[in-house]
Amino acid sequence: MTRPSIGTPPDLDDETAGLLRPYLRLAKALGEEYMQKAERWHFLVSDHGFASVPGPPTTREEFEVFYAKCHDGWKLAQREIADFLIESLPQLTAAKAEEKRLHAAKDVTGRKLAKENRRRIEAEIAVARRMLDAALWTMVSCEHSTLRRLLVADGRHSLTVANIQEAMRAAEEFNKEPMTIALCCDMLSLVHIGDLVLFDARTGTLSFVELKAGDKNVALAKAADFAVKSQCAAFESFATGSLSPKDLKHFARAKRQAERNNAAISIIKNEGGDDPFTGGRVQIQRVAPPKTWGDRIAACAASLTAERQWAIDVVEDCVYIGVYTDPKMAFAGFQSWMKIQACTAPVVNFLDSFRQPAVRPLGAANMTYELRLKALRGDILVILCLDIHRLIERGNKLLPGFMRLGSRSEGAKAQSPRIQDFTLDGCPVICNVGGQEVILGAGTRDRILFDFHSPTQLLQNYLDYPPVPSTEG
C-alpha cells in the first residue's frame, strides 16, 4: 500500500528515518493552519452526531435523528475535503515538476526543499483522505473482513480534480436524503469498487454506484453488468458481435470492473468466496465481539502530569504501550525498553494509521474523542509495539505447536504485500490448525495495534474458526 512519509526529515537514510519516525509529532510536521482543518474534519466525522443530540438515543425516532446528524457531519466533511483536494492536487503536480527540474539542474539544496514541499503536500492529502475513511469504517462497524474486499489492489487511485468534481455532483444528489450517505470512492484511500459508495441507515445496506457519461458508455456498462450477472454466453456474443475494436476493449474493461464489483459484494453478503483482487479463497467468520484494551492507553494518558511525562504498560505479555508528552523522552525511553525486552519487532505510532490505508483510522478508533484529539494535536505520543516472539509463545500456550516463526524463504514465497508486512526480519508468522499451515497477514497485527483487539482472543478465534489457506489475517 502507498505510505507517504509524514514528518520524517528528508535528508536521512531510510534506516535512521524509520527509527525516528514513530516518535515525531504529526502536528509539527504539517503546521498549525493545516492542523486546524484536520481537527475540524476529525470532529465532523467522529463526534458531530454525538454533539448534535441531547443524549444517547433509545427509541427508533431518536436513532434516526442521531444517524441523520452523523450523516450531516460526514457530508460536510466530504465537501470540505473535496474542496481541499481540488486545490491541493494541482499543487502536488507542480511540486513534482519543480523537484524534477531542480534534480535535472543538479541543485542539491533546492531539490531538498522541493522534496520536502512535495512530501508535505502528499502527507496533507493522505491525512485528509484518511479522515474521510472514518465514515466508511463506521458504516460497516469497523469490520476488517468487509473492508479488505474493497481495497485498491496496488494501493493507488486515479485521483484527479475532474473525477472528484463529477463524483461530488452525483453524491450531493444522493445526500439530499438525511438517512442516506454517499461517499466518493476516489477520495477514500482504500476503495476501488464503483464511483460512489452508498449507505442507507434505515436498512443498513451498502451498495456501489458506477457513474457513466454518454449514452454509449452507459449502454456498454449495462451490457457488461448483465453479461456478468447472467453468465449467458449467447447474450455476450450477441451484445458484442457488432462492436468496433475500440468498443470491444471498452466492453472488456467494463466487464472486468463488473466482475470485481459483483465478487466483492457477493463475499460481503455471503461471508465467503473468491477475492476479486488476490484471487484467494476468502471466508468471513462471525465471532464474538472483540475484547479490547484501549482503556489501558487511556489510563496511561490519565496518569501523566507536568512532572511525570511518561507512562508504560504491557498487554497480555506481548503488546507494549508507551504514552509520552515529549518526543525525545519517547524515543530514549521506548527504545531502551525494547532493548531490555530483547524485542526487535517494529515500533509504531498510533497515528501511523494515517500512513496505512488498510488499518482502522483515527476517526473510528476505539477511544474517546478527547483522547484522539490529544494524539492528533501532538499533546501526547502513543507508541506501540507487538512482540512477535511473545505473541507466538502466547499462541502455543493455547495449543502446543499452534504457532511458529517461519523462515525467510517461506516469507519470500508470500505473494500478498499484506502478508509480507507481518514478518520479523523477513520471517512470517505461521499458525497450524489440524495439520494445515497458514501464513498470517498484517490484518492480525492491525487488529491488535489499531483496533486494540485482545491478542489472546484473536488467536483463540483462529483456533475456533480456522482461517483458510489464503487468508491475510
Side-chain angles (χ1 to χ4, degrees), residues 261-274:
N261 293 1
N262 280 277
I265 293 171
S266 175
I267 290 174
I268 294 170
K269 288 182 177 178
N270 301 321
E271 302 186 352
D274 294 325

Side-chain angles (χ1 to χ4, degrees), residues 92-104:
L92 179 59
T93 300
K96 288 179 177 178
E98 179 66 2
E99 184 181 1
K100 185 177 181 180
R101 183 187 70 79
L102 292 169
H103 176 70

Side-chain angles (χ1 to χ4, degrees), residues 49-70:
F50 295 104
S52 302
V53 295
T58 56
T59 66
R60 177 172 180 171
E61 292 74 16
E62 289 176 347
F63 269 106
E64 289 194 355
V65 170
F66 173 68
Y67 291 148
K69 294 298 183 182
C70 289

Side-chain angles (χ1 to χ4, degrees), residues 106-119:
K106 298 182 179 180
D107 184 342
V108 177
T109 301
R111 179 173 177 261
K112 183 185 293 186
L113 293 173
K115 180 180 180 180
E116 190 172 354
N117 182 50
R118 186 258 303 166
R119 288 171 58 177

Side-chain angles (χ1 to χ4, degrees), residues 172-203:
E172 292 289 16
E173 288 300 312
F174 284 107
N175 287 337
K176 290 177 180 178
E177 166 57 47
M179 295 300 288
T180 298
I181 173 69
L183 298 178
C184 302
C185 292
D186 279 0
M187 287 168 55
L188 300 166
S189 59
L190 76 162
V191 178
H192 194 51
I193 293 181
D195 297 302
L196 300 178
V197 56
L198 199 64
F199 180 72
D200 187 326
R202 287 195 180 95
T203 61

Side-chain angles (χ1 to χ4, degrees), residues 93-375:
T93 300
K96 288 179 177 178
E98 179 66 2
E99 184 181 1
K100 185 177 181 180
R101 183 187 70 79
L102 292 169
H103 176 70
K106 298 182 179 180
D107 184 342
V108 177
T109 301
R111 179 173 177 261
K112 183 185 293 186
L113 293 173
K115 180 180 180 180
E116 190 172 354
N117 182 50
R118 186 258 303 166
R119 288 171 58 177
R120 176 189 57 77
I121 297 171
E122 288 177 337
E124 289 178 350
I125 290 173
V127 169
R129 296 173 75 184
R130 287 294 282 158
M131 288 293 184
L132 192 58
D133 282 352
L136 177 64
W137 280 72
T138 306
M139 286 179 194
V140 298
S141 302
C142 297
E143 174 48 58
H144 281 255
S145 297
T146 297
L147 286 156
R148 286 172 189 278
R149 308 288 72 80
L150 311 179
L151 286 173
V152 177
D154 60 357
R156 296 182 182 276
H157 268 283
S158 55
L159 186 64
T160 66
V161 169
N163 286 352
I164 292 172
Q165 290 173 331
E166 180 183 0
M168 279 299 296
R169 282 193 292 270
E172 292 289 16
E173 288 300 312
F174 284 107
N175 287 337
K176 290 177 180 178
E177 166 57 47
M179 295 300 288
T180 298
I181 173 69
L183 298 178
C184 302
C185 292
D186 279 0
M187 287 168 55
L188 300 166
S189 59
L190 76 162
V191 178
H192 194 51
I193 293 181
D195 297 302
L196 300 178
V197 56
L198 199 64
F199 180 72
D200 187 326
R202 287 195 180 95
T203 61
T205 55
L206 195 72
S207 58
F208 300 91
V209 177
E210 293 278 355
L211 302 177
K212 299 296 180 185
D215 293 341
K216 180 185 287 187
N217 289 343
V218 172
L220 288 172
K222 286 182 177 180
D225 187 59
F226 184 81
V228 170
K229 289 179 178 177
S230 68
Q231 294 295 301
C232 179
F235 168 80
E236 184 169 342
S237 177
F238 174 77
T240 60
S242 61
L243 294 181
S244 67
K246 180 179 179 181
D247 287 342
L248 274 173
K249 290 182 179 179
H250 188 161
F251 177 86
R253 286 195 302 271
K255 184 181 176 184
R256 287 194 297 270
Q257 182 68 39
E259 287 172 339
R260 287 194 296 267
N261 293 1
N262 280 277
I265 293 171
S266 175
I267 290 174
I268 294 170
K269 288 182 177 178
N270 301 321
E271 302 186 352
D274 294 325
D275 189 285
F277 297 113
T278 67
R281 187 68 183 169
V282 174
Q283 179 180 344
I284 299 176
Q285 301 285 5
R286 296 301 168 187
V287 298
K291 298 176 182 177
T292 60
W293 47 267
D295 58 318
R296 306 279 281 273
I297 295 177
C300 285
S303 72
L304 301 179
T305 65
E307 293 74 29
R308 180 180 172 83
Q309 299 181 336
W310 61 274
I312 60 174
D313 199 356
V314 183
V315 175
E316 298 179 11
D317 299 324
C318 61
V319 180
Y320 303 113
I321 304 170
V323 182
Y324 305 85
T325 56
D326 178 70
K328 292 180 180 178
M329 180 175 290
F331 176 77
F334 204 87
Q335 288 294 121
S336 298
W337 187 23
M338 294 302 95
K339 188 173 183 180
I340 292 170
Q341 297 297 322
C343 177
T344 58
V347 174
V348 303
N349 187 308
F350 170 60
L351 294 186
D352 281 354
S353 61
F354 284 118
R355 303 173 59 248
Q356 302 184 39
V359 311
R360 191 166 178 157
L362 174 71
N366 189 19
M367 60 170 56
T368 66
Y369 169 75
E370 291 76 18
L371 194 56
R372 280 186 264 119
L373 192 58
K374 283 185 176 182

